[in-house]
Amino acid sequence: MFTGIVEATGEVTALDLRGGDVRLRIRANSLDLSKIQLGDSIATNGVCLTVASLLEDGYESDVSSETLSVTSVSSWHIGTKVNLERALTIDTRLGGHLVLGHVDGIGEVVHLNPDARSWCLRICAPNELAKYIAQKGSITVDGTSLTVNKVEGAEFELNIVPHTLEHTGIGSYQAGSLVNLEVDVIARYVERLLLGDSAANT
């Protein structure tokens, strides 16, 4: 589990195709890996990945065909910048919201325009996710916990403050960029609870 507060940015340095799966190598830059062990989880652009190998400057993870099919990982290449966050510990401050690292769908950046010292980011979500996105609610974009300012159908707007632009990969977005989206897990549980007894047949 994560908070959506990005700790560092990294870079894809290798993608090794292995029978339909991918072994991914990430240069972790300033992320502190001193307490990371094999099998630990690191959110990589919002995708919860298991550390399969530790390197001097980063880590390697295996990405399944399922993950490739539902995230933007399949469009990554050597040099792709990624947001990084280590998994929560019991004494971690929860500065964002509860994030599982389970991507719900891929969104597309519509535009990123300046708004005073911040930027206005507009994203189009898959239609099936629109019902989970609420004004002033939380959403995770490439592993970054953000607040939704406005919703219009399947499109939503976010205000990106200077600190977030500087410390995540959002500043490199442009129209057409694909991003990993994870909706607030509470919305999914509420939907399921509202089904009541009929949930067993759904």
Side-chain angles (χ1 to χ4, degrees):
M1 188 171 288
F2 308 91
T3 69
I5 302 300
V6 174
E7 295 184 280
T9 57
E11 181 179 349
V12 176
T13 58
L15 297 113
D16 182 13
L17 298 177
R18 299 187 176 184
D21 294 347
V22 171
R23 171 61 69 96
L24 187 69
R25 181 177 297 171
I26 301 292
R27 180 183 296 122
N29 296 338
S30 60
L31 187 69
D32 181 7
L33 298 176
S34 62
K35 296 182 179 179
I36 295 294
Q37 299 179 3
L38 297 184
D40 285 353
S41 298
I42 297 178
T44 308
N45 256 18
V47 184
C48 179
L49 295 179
T50 300
V51 175
S53 175
L54 280 167
L55 311 170
E56 286 188 6
D57 63 348
Y59 59 95
E60 291 183 329
S61 293
D62 292 312
V63 184
S64 69
S65 57
E66 167 66 15
T67 300
L68 290 170
S69 70
V70 297
T71 71
S72 67
V73 177
S74 59
S75 68
W76 294 359
H77 52 81
I78 294 175
T80 294
K81 300 294 189 291
V82 290
N83 297 321
L84 305 174
E85 182 189 355
R86 295 166 299 174
L88 276 169
T89 61
I90 197 66
D91 60 347
T92 303
R93 296 181 65 185
L94 185 60
H97 69 285
L98 292 177
V99 175
L100 302 180
H102 303 161
V103 174
D104 292 303
I106 301 173
E108 181 175 345
V109 174
V110 177
H111 65 66
L112 182 65
N113 294 330
D115 181 10
R117 294 190 309 114
S118 299
W119 285 72
C120 176
L121 174 62
R122 189 175 184 91
I123 295 174
C124 183
N127 288 341
E128 62 271 20
L129 294 186
K131 61 184 176 181
Y132 301 112
I133 302 171
Q135 185 174 353
K136 302 307 177 185
S138 296
I139 192 164
T140 308
V141 179
D142 277 346
T144 307
S145 173
L146 297 167
T147 301
V148 177
N149 282 349
K150 183 189 296 184
V151 181
E152 294 180 351
E155 294 189 1
F156 61 97
E157 289 187 358
L158 308 156
N159 182 69
I160 312 299
V161 298
H163 178 86
T164 303
L165 282 170
E166 182 180 352
H167 291 92
T168 70
I170 294 177
S172 65
Y173 291 175
Q174 55 188 340
S177 293
L178 300 180
V179 294
N180 292 317
L181 301 178
E182 181 183 332
V183 299
D184 192 340
V185 65
I186 294 174
R188 286 202 173 275
Y189 279 117
V190 169
E191 178 187 42
R192 191 71 175 168
L193 285 168
L194 289 175
L195 290 174
D197 292 339
S198 66
N201 303 312
T202 302

